[in-house]
Amino acid sequence: MQKIISLSKRRGFIFPSSEIYGGFASCYDYGPLGVELKNNIKKQWWIFMVQENENIVGLDASILMSPKVWQASGHLTAGFADLLVECKKCHSRFRADYMEEGKFIGEGKTKEKNQCPLCGGKEFTKARQFNLMMKTFVGPVEDDASVSYLRAETCQGIYVNYKNVKDSMRLNIPFGIAQIGKAFRNEITPGNFIFRMREFEQMEMQFFVSPNNKEKIFNSWKEKRINWYLSLGIKKENLRFREHKKNELAHYAKRAVDIEYKFPWGWGEIEGIHDRGDWDLSNHSKYSGEDFNYIDPFSKKKFIPNIIETSAGVDRAFLALLCDSYQEIKGGRTKTTKSAKEAEIFLKLDKKIAPIKAAVLPLVKNNLEIVKKAREVYQALKPYFMCQYDKISSIGRRYRRQDEIGTPICLTIDFESLMHNDLTIRDRDTMKQERVKVKNLISYLREKLNEQS
Amino acid sequence: MQKIISLSKRRGFIFPSSEIYGGFASCYDYGPLGVELKNNIKKQWWIFMVQENENIVGLDASILMSPKVWQASGHLTAGFADLLVECKKCHSRFRADYMEEGKFIGEGKTKEKNQCPLCGGKEFTKARQFNLMMKTFVGPVEDDASVSYLRAETCQGIYVNYKNVKDSMRLNIPFGIAQIGKAFRNEITPGNFIFRMREFEQMEMQFFVSPNNKEKIFNSWKEKRINWYLSLGIKKENLRFREHKKNELAHYAKRAVDIEYKFPWGWGEIEGIHDRGDWDLSNHSKYSGEDFNYIDPFSKKKFIPNIIETSAGVDRAFLALLCDSYQEIKGGRTKTTKSAKEAEIFLKLDKKIAPIKAAVLPLVKNNLEIVKKAREVYQALKPYFMCQYDKISSIGRRYRRQDEIGTPICLTIDFESLMHNDLTIRDRDTMKQERVKVKNLISYLREKLNEQS
């Protein structure tokens, strides 16, 4: 894990937030390569969920919502609050269950049971509920009337827009609404790098169904969603389902299955598929007075739509993909260069999500003709693909620099290129090289990268 | 304007946030077509700023940052706070300058000078400063130590990452860092639909330069940025520059030029180009103790980089594009159908940003062969393009439905298609039709839509 955190910072994937001020609250910032990888993950999810599904449409609701939303959802009343104990000495609060187990991920100075990990105090209040939602004040006057909350889950924005979306897009059940966006939770114990953060990004899809066939739909989404991770190249043995036991279920859930990834520290949830029953629309109906009954156009039966939810974490998918693609090859993959004795880092990222699609490399930097041609190739490609141009240091070292950030294709312009107007294409995974004419390059790369817009 | 708000809701571009609870705090949600249009605007900006510029890289910093960032930036001390007066009767606060002018956009029940628009009170406190930043509490204990703020501008996330980005990407001055993300301001007077919201999205690029040639760089960004709006099809006569006078400049600015769009209610800023001097890096250096001096590799001269900023609002660009492309054609564009007597709405959105790229329409819905072929075409296209399939109502009405949401291309499968394996392509703007073979369709559309990935 430490190697991945170190690579992330060194190569511009992830930096600690506000690092010059000593960091802040387990927040992280995505650097130049990180933002490309993250955007590519989001783009693939959007293509898979929205673009390729006729009965799923997108949404982008605001982070700030009416506090009434959170009353109706149960977030302000119960269920979304951890049981906390407070240290009587330093007044810090900790999760009661962790305290009993002596488990303090990301916080602990001590692993002793029933001892405050911050000051060492041993006396605690009784366990109490603490709200995980972040409060803020909206409007010119900071008083009770202006209290609002940063959303703790993006799905609520979907529920309150259910009718507007259904009517404007003339949708019939079953249909889905998909959304990508930030959510905030005042986690007591953030940690494990970007796995558990207080500010994080979700990719959620709410599928509105009849209660009659929801079992089948639930199982089909379970399969589709795990296949999505497989399609991005995650190894099968590092993924599994975990069905929640009855006593684990959240207040809104009838059934829940996690998709877990085998992180360096153990299995962790990267996505949840939930049967939320009619909890959400019934409650919003009760609190808002809106009628969310649906009348089936064929059977004329009336019902409150049930919801099957697929809720994925962008940051967790990012971390799983980074862990899964990270390889260290002792002695290097080739024996031809001096530095091959060092361990070579190699990110086997799927070409669909790799931050840089192609690197353009002049074989030598002191031949003006070669440099000129390389610049022409780079200029021609960059309107179409995210590319890098690199002329610094030996060609072997430049290949390895691109391997380390997962660039699937290196294009080398050499002496032969000047005669035949072609170049060498080097594949990251096979290291095989082939020659392609410059004039066929864009269609060749489109084919090879299987680009979807 | 009312027509645009109405179309936005009816066709799924924009809904009022939390509408079932009576709306909330001038927030808006982007519906199924709105999110596509918005994402396309952001994608075009990213291609133009990051992908096509070798010396600009991306970033995605968190919304929550260390409060020290806002001390250093001056947001907590001065300059970012409006002068407010408080009504002595109801304790509501209002902008002092608006109060004097009797101007209360989006709030006012009265237009009388020096009268409270909420309760009618006539006695006020002296004008005071009120902070525009939204406060929240981060961590398990809600106390002074846990106070943080939602960022009021995305650029601060760029400044604090300046060194990490420069080092990890091995950049030399001049270079830029670009970022798209949410920002929050406790505006006293939000209004004009999505023009001034308390939660909004920015597209900002900070260009780090030597103080010696910044004038030239400033002017070149001014031109590039207005050209970007022109490239998305905004009419030249609806755009203008406005140079700020000395007494208008924000506390950090040496020079500021707005790009303004002629909205239905008048000219309004959609982007600002600012010379921020060395204000940002000098202050962050002072507060954090980091050394941000840059040594020029050629001249060996040492200086604090100056910053030229281009700061655009996603929501404002969205609104400008919607206003600019909206056309109502009295009597309709064609005289061939019955409903042609009604006014036809027609969104002349650039094909790069249109939410739906192509609509697949079977000429009739009761011919199984035609429907089957239309389904095949739709299935083949949707991995590549955002498409809609529509078989409901007459073909003329379906064309108009697509015109109304700005779909550049309609594909009609008719009886001839069954014989020749081709279809009719109808261009939104010229209404010209041509026949294309199904097997050539993807490359034809790629060419026509000029897709960039």
Side-chain angles (χ1 to χ4, degrees):
Chain A
M1 196 62 210
Q2 210 45 56
K3 285 176 181 171
I4 284 170
I5 295 174
S6 151
L7 175 75
S8 291
K9 186 172 169 189
R10 185 163 47 83
R11 295 308 309 271
F13 285 93
I14 297 170
F15 311 125
S17 173
S18 308
E19 197 185 17
I20 62 171
Y21 293 106
F24 182 67
S26 303
C27 288
Y28 286 92
D29 296 344
Y30 288 84
L33 296 185
V35 63
E36 300 298 336
L37 176 53
K38 193 184 181 197
N39 285 347
N40 289 342
I41 294 169
K42 294 197 273 184
K43 180 182 166 188
Q44 288 304 317
W45 188 85
W46 199 261
I47 290 174
F48 186 83
M49 300 300 279
V50 181
Q51 188 174 318
E52 295 197 344
N53 282 289
E54 198 170 351
N55 61 353
I56 299 182
V57 296
L59 184 77
D60 185 7
S62 58
I63 290 170
L64 297 171
M65 300 171 78
S66 167
K68 290 174 194 159
V69 173
W70 306 108
Q71 276 159 19
S73 71
H75 282 82
L76 292 182
T77 46
F80 206 78
D82 280 332
L83 274 181
L84 296 192
V85 294
E86 188 172 309
C87 169
K88 286 191 175 173
K89 202 167 147 199
C90 76
H91 302 286
S92 297
R93 294 178 197 174
F94 308 98
R95 270 177 65 164
D97 53 343
Y98 281 16
M99 177 58 65
E100 276 164 32
E101 295 163 26
K103 179 178 159 193
F104 285 98
I105 301 164
E107 284 222 341
K109 290 185 186 159
T110 167
K111 289 213 165 194
E112 212 168 300
K113 282 187 197 178
N114 294 314
Q115 187 178 12
C116 173
L118 296 180
C119 76
K122 291 194 170 183
E123 278 185 75
F124 295 91
T125 60
K126 272 195 191 156
R128 277 190 303 213
Q129 287 204 320
F130 173 75
N131 202 289
L132 286 184
M133 294 194 74
M134 284 188 203
K135 188 160 88 174
T136 190
F137 303 94
V138 176
V141 190
E142 190 177 297
D143 60 12
D144 285 353
S146 69
V147 167
S148 185
Y149 299 88
L150 306 186
R151 66 181 174 198
E153 52 186 31
T154 56
C155 56
Q156 297 298 330
I158 294 179
Y159 307 144
V160 298
N161 280 301
Y162 161 75
K163 242 185 176 166
N164 272 337
V165 172
K166 188 172 77 62
D167 295 347
S168 62
M169 302 304 283
R170 306 183 304 160
L171 295 163
N172 284 319
I173 275 173
F175 73 90
I177 305 177
Q179 180 171 231
I180 299 176
K182 287 280 176 87
F184 300 81
R185 292 183 193 174
N186 235 337
E187 297 282 357
I188 310 308
T189 49
N192 282 332
F193 197 31
I194 58 168
F195 182 78
R196 190 180 304 277
M197 296 190 287
R198 292 197 173 109
E199 172 180 340
F200 57 103
E201 197 158 5
Q202 294 187 304
M203 305 184 280
E204 295 199 314
M205 192 280 296
Q206 311 294 317
F207 209 64
F208 299 88
V209 301
S210 152
N212 291 330
N213 56 355
K214 68 179 182 174
E215 185 71 16
K216 207 176 129 197
I217 290 174
F218 186 102
N219 290 330
S220 113
W221 276 113
K222 227 181 88 174
E223 294 308 320
K224 278 185 216 161
R225 291 305 306 151
I226 204 164
N227 286 336
W228 184 71
Y229 293 99
L230 293 169
S231 79
L232 296 184
I234 293 194
K235 295 177 202 80
K236 206 169 180 177
E237 64 268 29
N238 290 338
L239 289 170
R240 73 175 187 194
F241 289 120
R242 191 179 75 79
E243 177 109 27
H244 284 225
K245 298 192 191 82
K246 284 280 167 227
N247 61 6
E248 276 183 285
L249 292 174
H251 62 283
Y252 53 77
K254 302 269 182 221
R255 187 184 165 199
V257 172
D258 288 348
I259 297 176
E260 293 190 331
Y261 178 77
K262 197 176 178 179
F263 287 102
W265 65 85
W267 291 94
E269 180 196 349
I270 54 173
E271 174 155 352
I273 294 106
H274 307 128
D275 173 0
R276 302 178 67 118
D278 67 359
W279 165 269
D280 304 290
L281 290 187
S282 292
N283 275 284
H284 282 301
S285 175
K286 199 171 90 185
Y287 280 79
S288 70
E290 286 280 335
D291 182 3
F292 288 131
N293 273 297
Y294 179 83
I295 297 163
D296 187 276
F298 301 106
S299 70
K300 306 292 174 202
K301 271 194 182 167
K302 194 166 117 173
F303 58 88
I304 300 260
N306 279 225
I307 289 169
I308 304 298
E309 165 187 71
T310 70
S311 172
V314 180
D315 314 280
R316 290 183 179 191
F318 185 110
L319 187 56
L321 285 159
L322 211 53
C323 292
D324 215 69
S325 63
Y326 184 91
Q327 301 189 12
E328 248 181 37
I329 295 166
K330 294 234 164 62
R333 295 202 290 162
T334 56
K335 305 290 170 195
T336 50
T337 57
K338 244 208 282 189
S339 53
K341 285 162 203 162
E342 302 159 18
E344 277 180 27
I345 295 171
F346 167 47
L347 278 192
K348 210 177 165 176
L349 286 170
D350 187 277
K351 60 198 174 188
K352 290 194 287 295
I353 55 167
I356 306 294
K357 303 300 183 191
V360 179
L361 316 171
L363 183 67
V364 291
K365 67 172 170 181
N366 49 15
N367 180 305
L368 286 182
E369 288 295 305
I370 285 182
V371 168
K372 192 183 157 214
K373 182 155 266 326
R375 294 296 306 168
E376 279 168 17
V377 169
Y378 172 71
Q379 296 292 344
L381 289 186
K382 72 186 167 65
Y384 299 95
F385 308 99
M386 192 62 79
C387 296
Q388 267 188 1
Y389 177 84
D390 187 4
K391 62 173 184 178
I392 291 163
S393 61
S394 78
I395 191 76
R397 190 177 275 273
R398 278 180 282 167
Y399 282 151
R400 284 195 299 285
R401 212 143 59 201
Q402 295 298 333
D403 287 348
E404 205 178 50
I405 60 171
T407 307
I409 290 166
C410 285
L411 307 168
T412 307
I413 288 82
D414 54 19
F415 292 97
E416 226 178 296
S417 306
L418 300 178
M419 286 184 291
H420 302 115
N421 204 18
D422 63 359
L423 42 72
T424 298
I425 294 196
R426 182 235 191 207
D427 182 279
R428 178 195 65 199
D429 302 341
T430 63
M431 292 190 293
K432 277 193 188 145
Q433 307 203 352
E434 56 177 317
R435 294 196 79 86
V436 170
K437 293 281 176 198
V438 169
K439 69 173 195 293
N440 302 330
L441 193 56
I442 288 175
S443 54
Y444 177 93
L445 289 178
R446 264 196 168 140
E447 186 84 6
K448 193 154 170 108
L449 295 166
N450 188 26
E451 281 293 338
Q452 296 169 307
S453 14
Chain B
M1 197 62 210
Q2 210 46 54
K3 285 176 181 172
I4 283 170
I5 296 174
S6 151
L7 176 76
S8 290
K9 188 173 168 189
R10 185 164 48 84
R11 296 308 310 269
F13 283 94
I14 298 169
F15 311 125
S17 173
S18 309
E19 197 185 18
I20 62 171
Y21 293 107
F24 183 66
S26 304
C27 288
Y28 286 91
D29 296 344
Y30 288 84
L33 296 185
V35 63
E36 300 298 337
L37 176 54
K38 192 183 181 197
N39 285 347
N40 290 342
I41 293 168
K42 293 197 275 185
K43 182 182 165 188
Q44 288 304 317
W45 188 85
W46 199 262
I47 290 174
F48 186 83
M49 300 300 279
V50 181
Q51 188 174 317
E52 295 197 344
N53 281 291
E54 199 170 352
N55 61 352
I56 299 182
V57 297
L59 185 77
D60 184 8
S62 57
I63 291 170
L64 297 171
M65 301 172 77
S66 167
K68 289 174 195 159
V69 173
W70 305 109
Q71 276 158 20
S73 71
H75 281 82
L76 293 181
T77 44
F80 207 78
D82 279 333
L83 273 180
L84 296 191
V85 294
E86 188 173 309
C87 169
K88 284 191 175 172
K89 202 167 148 199
C90 76
H91 303 287
S92 298
R93 294 180 195 171
F94 308 97
R95 272 178 64 166
D97 52 344
Y98 282 16
M99 177 58 65
E100 276 164 32
E101 295 162 27
K103 177 178 160 194
F104 284 99
I105 299 162
E107 286 218 344
K109 290 185 186 159
T110 168
K111 289 212 165 196
E112 212 167 298
K113 281 188 199 180
N114 294 314
Q115 184 177 14
C116 173
L118 296 181
C119 76
K122 292 196 170 185
E123 279 185 74
F124 295 91
T125 62
K126 271 194 190 156
R128 277 190 304 216
Q129 286 205 319
F130 173 76
N131 202 289
L132 286 183
M133 294 194 73
M134 286 190 202
K135 186 159 88 173
T136 190
F137 304 94
V138 176
V141 190
E142 190 177 295
D143 61 9
D144 284 353
S146 69
V147 167
S148 185
Y149 299 88
L150 305 187
R151 65 181 175 198
E153 52 185 31
T154 57
C155 56
Q156 297 298 329
I158 293 179
Y159 307 142
V160 297
N161 280 301
Y162 162 75
K163 241 186 177 164
N164 272 336
V165 171
K166 188 173 76 63
D167 294 348
S168 62
M169 303 304 283
R170 305 182 305 159
L171 296 163
N172 284 319
I173 276 173
F175 73 90
I177 305 177
Q179 180 171 233
I180 299 177
K182 288 279 176 88
F184 299 81
R185 291 183 194 173
N186 236 338
E187 298 282 356
I188 310 307
T189 49
N192 281 332
F193 197 30
I194 58 169
F195 182 79
R196 190 181 304 278
M197 296 190 287
R198 293 197 173 110
E199 172 180 341
F200 57 102
E201 199 158 2
Q202 293 187 304
M203 306 185 281
E204 294 198 316
M205 192 280 295
Q206 311 295 318
F207 209 64
F208 298 89
V209 302
S210 152
N212 291 331
N213 57 354
K214 66 178 182 176
E215 185 70 17
K216 207 178 129 196
I217 290 175
F218 186 102
N219 291 329
S220 114
W221 277 112
K222 229 181 86 174
E223 294 307 320
K224 279 186 215 162
R225 291 305 307 149
I226 204 164
N227 285 336
W228 184 72
Y229 293 99
L230 293 170
S231 79
L232 296 183
I234 293 192
K235 296 177 201 77
K236 205 168 178 178
E237 64 267 30
N238 291 336
L239 290 170
R240 73 174 187 195
F241 290 120
R242 191 179 75 81
E243 178 109 25
H244 283 226
K245 297 192 191 82
K246 283 281 167 228
N247 61 4
E248 277 183 283
L249 292 174
H251 62 282
Y252 52 77
K254 302 267 181 222
R255 186 184 167 199
V257 173
D258 289 347
I259 297 176
E260 293 189 330
Y261 177 76
K262 198 177 178 179
F263 288 102
W265 65 85
W267 291 95
E269 181 197 349
I270 54 174
E271 174 154 353
I273 294 106
H274 307 128
D275 173 1
R276 302 179 64 119
D278 68 358
W279 166 270
D280 304 288
L281 290 186
S282 292
N283 275 283
H284 283 301
S285 176
K286 198 170 89 186
Y287 280 79
S288 70
E290 287 279 335
D291 182 2
F292 289 131
N293 273 297
Y294 178 83
I295 297 163
D296 187 275
F298 301 105
S299 70
K300 305 294 173 203
K301 271 193 183 166
K302 194 166 115 173
F303 58 88
I304 300 263
N306 279 225
I307 290 169
I308 305 298
E309 165 187 70
T310 70
S311 173
V314 180
D315 314 280
R316 291 182 178 191
F318 185 111
L319 187 56
L321 285 159
L322 212 54
C323 292
D324 215 68
S325 63
Y326 185 92
Q327 301 190 12
E328 249 181 37
I329 295 165
K330 294 233 165 62
R333 294 202 291 160
T334 54
K335 304 291 168 193
T336 51
T337 57
K338 242 208 284 191
S339 54
K341 285 163 205 160
E342 303 160 19
E344 278 181 26
I345 295 170
F346 166 47
L347 278 192
K348 210 175 165 177
L349 286 170
D350 188 277
K351 59 198 175 188
K352 291 194 287 296
I353 54 166
I356 306 294
K357 303 300 182 192
V360 179
L361 316 171
L363 183 67
V364 290
K365 66 172 169 182
N366 47 14
N367 181 304
L368 288 183
E369 288 295 304
I370 284 182
V371 168
K372 192 182 155 215
K373 181 153 272 319
R375 294 296 307 166
E376 279 168 18
V377 169
Y378 173 70
Q379 295 294 342
L381 289 186
K382 73 186 165 67
Y384 299 95
F385 307 99
M386 192 61 78
C387 296
Q388 266 186 2
Y389 176 83
D390 188 3
K391 62 172 184 182
I392 292 164
S393 60
S394 78
I395 191 74
R397 189 178 275 274
R398 279 181 281 166
Y399 283 151
R400 284 195 298 285
R401 211 142 61 200
Q402 295 298 333
D403 287 348
E404 206 179 49
I405 61 172
T407 307
I409 289 166
C410 285
L411 306 169
T412 306
I413 289 82
D414 54 19
F415 292 97
E416 225 178 298
S417 305
L418 301 178
M419 287 184 289
H420 301 115
N421 205 19
D422 64 358
L423 42 71
T424 298
I425 294 194
R426 182 234 191 209
D427 182 278
R428 178 195 64 198
D429 302 339
T430 62
M431 291 191 293
K432 278 194 186 142
Q433 307 202 353
E434 56 176 317
R435 296 195 77 87
V436 170
K437 293 281 176 197
V438 170
K439 67 173 198 294
N440 301 330
L441 193 55
I442 289 176
S443 55
Y444 177 93
L445 289 178
R446 262 195 170 141
E447 186 83 7
K448 193 152 170 108
L449 295 166
N450 188 25
E451 282 291 338
Q452 295 170 306
S453 11

